Amino acid sequence: MGKRFVIIGGDAAGMSAASQIRRLQADAEILAFEKGSTLSYAQCGLPYLIGGVVPEAKNLIARTPEEFRDKYRIQVFIRHEVTKILPEENAVIVKNLAEGSEEGFSYDTLLIATGGHAIFPQWEGRDLEGVFPLKNMDDALRIQGWVQKKNVAKVVIVGGGYIGLEMAEAFHHLKKEVAVLDLAPQVAGTFDPELAQLAQQELEQNGIRVALNEEVVALRGEKGRVTGVETKTGFYPADLVLVAIGILPNSELAKDAGIELGVKGAIRVDDQMRTNRPNIYAAGDCAVHYHRVKGTEDYIPLGTTANKQGRIAGTNMGGGEAHFAGVVGSAIMKVLNVAMGRTGLSEREAKHLNIPYEVVSIRSRDHAGYYPNGERLHLKLLYHKENRKLLGAQIVGKHGVDKRIDVIATALYAGLTIDQLQELDLSYAPPFNSVWDPVQQASTVAGRS
């Protein structure tokens, strides 16, 4: 038997790392401990499971514990929580949640992939039946069960970010009366206000109520069941309340073990996913993410990043060499009939970082104007005022948003200037694009400014 690798967390980062270790070390002993009841599943698909677009939970599961055991010889322990890391002893203490017993396991190398947890404030009434966060499969199944059994007609979503807006669509798809509340003056807080306004319009045009600058005071109920949300300015009736105001890293285990933390309390790692403690790595939603445009560590928890960091951690743990190149803040979401994509810096971020910048905003079409059924694209680019390097982009429209955001994300990785966008050899045919892509049209406008 070779080295023993212990992995805390059985989702994207953890199981990506485990699989990579197995590829590199055939004789390794690999143990993965997962606190929940499901592992290796698509968290980003949970709103679509609840909304009925994805028919069954099993469609989101990439691999079962049996597959990991039989095909990859990875031992997975479901409903087992690591309660303590003992770095000096190269060991962890694990609690079997089904039996209540505890046991110690030694390791040669440890990966912390504990993910994040939904922010759930200590509001009065948070323990009422019908009040839910949404972070994992267990949360999704509880929400799904409540909707199916409890005659839910009115839904209030607290939080207008990615999960909040995706869940507004999910409940709308289920023909529920939906209200979205947000403490901020806009929904979609990672976007600049004029782009966020387009998301709000789409929600309201489809009958979803949006209430901004609303501070929750308490969750109210009768006979142990939620009946609504009380804010400083009013009351919103509800048969179900979803709290979706963001996530924070699960880094308490690491902190207690003397592992250094960084931005937002996430575990600080280098570009090989190593922590400051020997033989201990971290990856995914519990770890920091280097931001290439900002030039500093950041915390942007996304499934794509978790998978990348897990694979890189597994490669280095298994004796190979891999480095995390960082993120540029790329993200996209569907809000009913429109897509909202962003990458790089928003204006708010550029101002916060004291970066001198210029903006170019255009409205274009997703394909050639003479070809039928063209749809409006709203595109905004930021670039450095002095060296003209691209800083970021935001795009909203019905079609073609993903294509353009990915072009800009690639350009950010390459360090291109806004003028160099005109030189890109982008695909063209009338059903797909104009002779000059909207990204290049924006570049041309910037050249005239």
Side-chain angles (χ1 to χ4, degrees):
M1 183 67 70
K3 290 182 177 180
R4 173 182 278 185
F5 297 87
V6 167
I7 293 168
I8 309 173
D11 200 16
M15 300 320 292
S16 293
S19 300
Q20 189 66 7
I21 292 168
R22 174 56 70 221
R23 292 186 188 101
L24 294 170
Q25 294 201 14
D27 62 344
E29 183 184 10
I30 307 172
L31 311 179
F33 297 100
E34 168 54 44
K35 181 170 66 172
S37 57
T38 312
L39 75 154
S40 197
Y41 67 94
Q43 283 191 18
C44 298
L46 296 178
Y48 306 103
L49 171 66
I50 295 167
V53 176
V54 176
E56 296 182 79
K58 67 180 183 182
N59 297 123
L60 299 180
I61 297 173
R63 293 187 181 91
T64 64
E66 293 74 23
E67 286 179 277
F68 279 111
R69 181 193 64 209
D70 299 338
K71 187 174 181 179
Y72 299 99
R73 292 178 292 114
I74 297 169
Q75 299 179 59
V76 179
F77 298 83
I78 297 294
R79 299 287 293 154
H80 280 67
E81 180 181 6
V82 175
T83 58
K84 196 166 188 179
I85 300 169
L86 305 170
E88 305 300 335
E89 300 174 32
N90 280 7
V92 294
I93 305 298
V94 182
K95 183 175 183 179
N96 183 328
L97 297 177
E99 300 176 1
S101 58
E102 284 194 338
E103 185 179 353
F105 290 83
S106 64
Y107 63 80
D108 292 298
T109 307
L110 175 70
L111 173 66
I112 306 171
T114 44
H117 62 273
I119 300 171
F120 201 1
Q122 295 294 325
W123 292 317
E124 180 186 348
R126 60 168 266 162
D127 295 324
L128 288 165
E129 289 187 333
V131 179
F132 303 94
L134 177 59
K135 181 61 180 72
N136 55 42
M137 181 69 80
D138 292 340
D139 294 334
L141 294 177
R142 282 191 287 267
I143 293 168
Q144 198 175 45
W146 185 263
V147 171
Q148 292 169 352
K149 297 176 183 177
K150 298 297 181 179
N151 192 29
V152 171
K154 298 176 185 288
V155 175
V156 171
I157 298 170
V158 182
Y162 292 103
I163 295 297
L165 297 187
E166 287 173 351
M167 285 303 299
E169 177 178 333
F171 287 124
H172 178 75
H173 189 257
L174 294 174
K175 303 189 184 311
K176 309 303 179 186
E177 184 180 325
V178 183
V180 177
L181 315 183
D182 204 301
L183 179 62
Q186 66 174 74
V187 295
T190 62
F191 288 77
D192 287 326
E194 70 272 26
L195 280 302
Q197 180 63 32
L198 299 173
Q200 181 176 343
Q201 289 174 8
E202 178 68 13
L203 293 166
E204 292 175 335
Q205 286 170 5
N206 283 274
I208 294 172
R209 183 178 181 184
V210 178
L212 304 174
N213 300 300
E214 283 285 19
E215 183 176 350
V216 173
V217 174
L219 308 178
R220 300 301 183 192
E222 295 178 3
K223 298 179 180 178
R225 175 174 173 169
V226 72
T227 56
V229 179
E230 182 182 343
T231 71
K232 282 192 171 181
T233 62
F235 181 79
Y236 298 83
D239 305 303
L240 185 154
V241 174
L242 177 76
V243 180
I245 58 176
I247 75 167
L248 289 172
N250 290 326
S251 56
E252 295 82 4
L253 265 178
K255 181 180 179 182
D256 291 344
I259 294 170
E260 186 178 356
L261 305 184
V263 61
K264 292 191 177 178
I267 301 168
R268 179 163 285 147
V269 293
D270 64 13
D271 67 352
Q272 293 189 294
M273 303 295 106
R274 298 175 299 195
T275 71
N276 64 311
R277 301 290 300 217
N279 304 317
I280 299 180
Y281 293 71
D285 289 359
C286 64
V288 300
H289 312 123
Y290 176 72
H291 198 297
R292 293 173 64 94
V293 182
K294 294 180 181 179
T296 186
E297 67 180 32
D298 208 337
Y299 182 67
I300 308 176
L302 292 171
T304 51
T305 305
N307 276 283
K308 288 189 193 90
Q309 286 194 331
R311 183 180 178 86
I312 289 163
T315 298
N316 294 312
M317 292 168 71
E321 184 171 347
H323 300 266
F324 182 55
V327 301
V328 292
S330 303
I332 191 167
M333 65 175 164
K334 180 176 178 290
V335 182
L336 296 163
N337 299 307
V338 302
M340 301 184 66
R342 58 147 295 158
T343 189
L345 306 183
S346 65
E347 277 202 74
R348 185 187 301 109
E349 290 171 311
K351 288 174 182 175
H352 179 72
L353 294 167
N354 294 316
I355 296 174
Y357 68 91
E358 296 282 0
V359 172
V360 57
S361 296
I362 67 166
R363 286 191 293 177
S364 185
R365 296 278 177 179
D366 65 311
H367 59 240
Y370 55 82
Y371 191 87
N373 303 317
E375 296 286 356
R376 182 75 71 187
L377 274 178
H378 299 258
L379 188 149
K380 177 177 182 177
L381 295 181
L382 269 70
Y383 59 97
H384 199 286
K385 190 171 186 177
E386 295 164 2
N387 59 29
R388 297 181 66 82
K389 278 196 173 183
L390 280 167
L391 294 174
Q394 297 168 56
I395 309 175
V396 178
K398 290 188 175 181
H399 304 294
V401 172
D402 52 346
K403 166 187 170 74
R404 276 86 190 190
I405 278 295
D406 286 346
V407 167
I408 299 297
T410 305
L412 288 171
Y413 263 84
L416 299 188
T417 67
I418 190 160
D419 306 297
Q420 288 175 308
L421 292 178
Q422 297 178 45
E423 302 169 9
L424 298 179
D425 183 18
L426 302 179
S427 60
Y428 161 67
F432 304 102
N433 211 344
S434 301
V435 173
W436 288 99
D437 184 273
V439 166
Q440 295 174 315
Q441 294 172 28
S443 172
T444 302
V445 172
R448 294 199 298 263
S449 61

